[in-house]
């Protein structure tokens, strides 16, 4: 199905008004919209130029923003929480999580890129906070679905401009989404000036992630002594960071 009617309605134009703009009969345009008549190549180009889109997009041969969101959102959710479960849950808990096809294409940086993107572009909580602390399945309910749609909209909007064919399968579309997310995240990090606390953290405390992950690993799989040591090291780190925060007040 072509997008002539959709684009016309977005501009709040009647068939007669659009026909006047394009110097075409409204009856002819109606036939184009309802696919009772096929425009010639030069007509496709004329209409596409008027709406500021490509011919393939106008013809409905490429994905629009809404189609991209609807087709990628489930895989975004599964991959995000696959990364989360692998990092923050023990092996027994991991068994309770449903793994989709992305289990074969694990993206360890995907969760971090998404967290950074959400944190910079909104004041919303990060995805795990949408669930209880002891959640292990992370099912995609309506609330979480709306959350994801909101936060991937701008990325999907950029993808729309790339004229991605409608026949692109879900696996490939998710890989493309990940590439666009990474680009968007990197641009935001480059453009947004860090706070004084952010500068301090980047300069002196970039080992936080290592200490945190080490602590979780020892708690999950280590013995009592190693877990206790890792917790103490992380606790000392947090105390030191809090002291520095107090100095910035």
């Amino acid at each position: 199905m072509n997008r002539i009617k959709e684009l016309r309605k977005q501009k709040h134009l009647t068939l007669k008004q659009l026909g006047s703009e394009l110097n075409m009969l409204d009856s002819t345009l109606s036939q184009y919209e309802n696919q009772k008549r096929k425009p010639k190549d030069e007509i496709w180009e004329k209409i596409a130029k008027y709406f500021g889109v490509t011919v393939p997009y106008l013809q409905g041969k490429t994905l629009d923003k809404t189609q991209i969101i609807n087709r990628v959102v489930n895989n975004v959710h599964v991959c995000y929480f696959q990364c989360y479960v692998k990092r923050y849950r023990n092996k027994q808990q991991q068994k309770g999580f449903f793994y989709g096809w992305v289990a074969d294409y694990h993206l360890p940086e995907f969760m971090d890129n998404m967290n950074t993107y959400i944190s910079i572009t909104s004041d919303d909580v990060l995805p795990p906070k949408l669930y209880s602390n002891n959640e292990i399945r992370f099912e995609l309910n309506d609330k979480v679905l709306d959350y994801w749609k909101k936060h991937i909209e701008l990325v999907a909007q950029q993808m729309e401009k790339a004229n991605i064919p409608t026949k692109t399968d879900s696996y490939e579309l998710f890989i493309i989404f990940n590439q666009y997310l990474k680009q968007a995240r990197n641009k935001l990090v480059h453009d947004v000036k860090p706070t004084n606390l952010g500068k301090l953290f980047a300069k002196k405390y970039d080992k936080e992630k290592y200490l945190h992950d080490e602590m979780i690993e020892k708690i999950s799989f280590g013995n009592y002594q190693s877990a206790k040591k890792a917790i103490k090291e992380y606790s000392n780190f947090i105390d030191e960071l809090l002291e520095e925060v107090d100095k910035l007040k």
Side-chain angles (χ1 to χ4, degrees):
M1 190 74 175
N2 69 57
R3 295 187 170 105
I4 299 175
K5 184 176 183 179
E6 174 188 333
L7 293 169
R8 174 174 65 80
K9 286 186 173 295
Q10 286 178 10
K11 282 184 170 286
H12 306 290
L13 296 173
T14 64
L15 279 168
K16 189 171 184 178
Q17 289 170 328
L18 180 58
S20 178
E21 292 283 339
L22 297 172
N23 194 25
M24 297 170 60
L25 293 173
D26 56 338
S27 58
T28 302
L29 282 170
S30 178
Q31 289 178 317
Y32 291 159
E33 286 188 353
N34 295 299
Q35 301 192 125
K36 293 180 179 179
R37 182 174 174 182
K38 185 177 180 181
K40 295 181 179 179
D41 290 346
E42 58 266 28
I43 298 299
W44 279 122
E45 292 172 3
K46 183 178 183 179
I47 300 174
K49 183 178 180 180
Y50 173 78
F51 285 116
V53 298
T54 64
V55 171
Y57 181 85
L58 182 65
Q59 293 173 330
K61 294 181 179 179
T62 61
L63 295 170
D64 64 19
K65 178 183 69 176
T66 301
Q67 290 172 320
I68 292 170
I69 291 172
N70 289 337
R71 288 178 57 178
V72 81
V73 65
N74 183 70
N75 290 331
V76 166
H77 176 81
V78 172
C79 188
Y80 181 94
F81 282 104
Q82 174 183 311
C83 296
Y84 181 82
V85 168
K86 279 181 173 288
R87 184 179 296 177
Y88 298 120
R89 294 290 192 265
N90 61 44
K91 290 184 177 180
Q92 185 61 37
Q93 290 172 324
Q94 289 177 21
K95 293 179 180 178
F97 179 71
F98 170 75
Y99 288 85
W101 58 264
V102 287
D104 297 325
Y105 194 86
H106 177 51
L107 301 168
E109 81 283 3
F110 179 76
M111 182 180 72
D112 296 328
N113 287 340
M114 184 62 76
N115 284 346
T116 302
Y117 180 82
I118 292 172
S119 296
I120 293 177
T121 58
S122 77
D123 294 323
D124 290 351
V125 299
L126 295 179
K129 291 294 184 179
L130 299 173
Y131 297 91
S132 63
N133 292 334
N134 60 352
E135 179 64 54
I136 59 173
R137 295 191 61 82
F138 299 104
E139 295 181 353
L140 183 58
N141 56 45
D142 290 342
K143 177 183 177 181
V144 179
L145 180 63
D146 290 341
Y147 174 96
W148 281 127
K149 286 184 175 182
K150 170 186 175 182
H151 288 294
I152 66 179
E153 181 178 5
L154 291 180
V155 178
Q157 192 170 311
Q158 291 302 311
M159 291 173 66
E160 179 183 272
K161 299 175 183 178
N163 290 320
I164 301 170
T166 54
K167 63 182 180 181
T168 305
D169 64 37
S170 297
Y171 178 92
E172 185 178 357
L173 189 62
F174 175 77
I175 301 307
I176 296 172
F177 174 86
N178 182 57
Q179 294 169 349
Y180 272 78
L181 172 66
K182 188 174 182 179
Q183 292 172 9
R185 179 264 181 202
N186 290 344
K187 186 177 187 306
L188 286 169
V189 170
H190 179 268
D191 293 346
V192 176
K193 294 182 179 180
T195 61
N196 289 333
L197 181 59
K199 293 176 182 177
L200 173 69
F201 190 87
K203 183 177 180 180
K204 297 183 64 176
Y205 299 100
D206 58 353
K207 65 178 182 179
E208 185 275 336
K209 183 176 181 299
Y210 167 78
L211 288 175
H212 181 273
D213 290 352
E214 179 74 6
M215 178 183 67
I216 296 298
E217 189 75 14
K218 296 299 183 183
I219 291 173
S220 300
F221 310 113
N223 57 41
Y224 172 80
Q225 291 300 327
S226 64
K228 184 177 179 180
K229 180 181 177 182
I231 293 171
K232 185 174 180 59
E233 288 179 351
Y234 189 73
S235 176
N236 290 339
F237 166 83
I238 295 299
D239 289 341
E240 184 180 346
L241 177 59
L242 285 172
E243 290 178 6
E244 294 289 351
V245 172
D246 289 337
K247 293 177 183 178
L248 294 174
K249 290 182 178 179

